[in-house]
Amino acid sequence: MLAVAFPAWHIKLPFVNPQQVSEEVSQYAAHPHFELPALPYSYEALEPHVDAQTMRIHHDRHHRAYVDNLNKAILPAPEWHHSSLDHLMTNISKVPENIRTAVRNNGGGHWNHSFFWKIMTPQAGGSPSGRLREALMAHWETMERFQEAFAKAALSVFGSGWAWLIADNSGRLSITTTPNQDNPLMDIVAERGKPVLGVDVWEHAYYLKHQNRRADYLKDWWNVINWQQAMANYG
Ligand code: MN3
């Protein structure tokens, strides 16, 4: 038996009542759906590898701006008001064209940073085990070679963007990069997959401590990786 649920956004109404739409819009403005998640640790918890001031500005100002601007961007599109963030990412090409760039940039920023905070932890250390370790070894043979390849990709991002370790449906791993706030969930990027690890290589992620030395930032970043979270992401 097929039990198919049709979410509200699939229902095409034959007639849209403008008054009802404007009510939904003002309701959404008063109670926006997307919220800034709390950091899962204190600002200084990742010291000395990631400094407290960077964490504070990155989370409280940059991430907050993505959330606020995402809520503003989808205001005129009530059919997306209650979408999950994952659904928004995987269906970004279906977002109305007049708001798509803003939703892509700010929704991507919200998704990417929510992911990024969790992939770091003050209780870092060790290395991945289980299925993730097997998949990493199958591709790169040693952790050192994987980390080298990942750092190389992260260094290759021209300007602002992200480097990702992603898994395809069969669990095969690969490394990819995205510009700006795009991510591998989006149905508009060249290489899609399930993110396992991701690193922010926008200068705002490292400039205060490392200035222009992205390679040094990446070296420090390995010291705060939450491999438990990466293993959970891999599944
Ligand atoms: Mn950032």
Side-chain angles (χ1 to χ4, degrees), residues 20-95:
Q20 196 189 333
V21 170
S22 84
E23 262 171 42
E24 281 185 48
V25 167
S26 58
Q27 266 178 27
Y28 189 83
H31 303 284
H33 173 54
F34 296 106
E35 290 178 351
L36 180 68
L39 268 187
Y41 34 75
S42 67
Y43 300 113
E44 54 281 336
L46 305 179
E47 295 262 10
H49 311 295
V50 185
D51 61 291
Q53 201 193 354
T54 294
M55 289 303 294
R56 189 181 294 274
I57 294 171
H58 202 175
H59 177 268
D60 293 9
R61 296 198 205 161
H62 291 279
H63 191 171
R64 181 179 295 283
Y66 295 125
V67 174
D68 290 348
N69 290 329
L70 170 61
N71 281 322
K72 269 184 224 157
I74 63 163
L75 209 52
E79 68 274 27
W80 294 90
H81 284 180
H82 302 287
S83 166
S84 74
L85 190 53
D86 279 11
H87 180 80
L88 200 54
M89 298 295 98
T90 53
N91 293 277
I92 199 82
S93 70
K94 301 185 189 83
V95 170

Side-chain angles (χ1 to χ4, degrees), residues 151-211:
K152 192 176 166 192
L155 284 169
S156 79
V157 175
F158 182 76
S160 298
W162 293 71
W164 306 92
L165 174 68
I166 58 172
D168 68 13
N169 287 337
S170 65
R172 212 184 70 89
L173 295 171
S174 57
I175 294 169
T176 187
T177 63
T178 53
N180 306 315
Q181 295 295 355
D182 285 359
N183 65 51
L185 294 182
M186 291 178 173
D187 63 348
I188 42 169
V189 300
E191 202 181 354
R192 299 180 73 191
K194 183 169 66 171
V196 176
L197 268 186
V199 67
D200 186 345
V201 294
W202 284 56
E203 279 189 344
H204 69 224
Y206 60 90
Y207 200 83
L208 292 177
K209 179 175 161 72
H210 298 93
Q211 291 79 49

Side-chain angles (χ1 to χ4, degrees), residues 115 119 146 150 163-165 195-199 221-222 225 227 230 233:
F115 179 90
I119 206 66
F146 159 66
F150 191 85
W164 306 92
L165 174 68
V196 176
L197 268 186
V199 67
W221 184 68
W222 292 115
I225 296 299
W227 286 112
N233 293 341

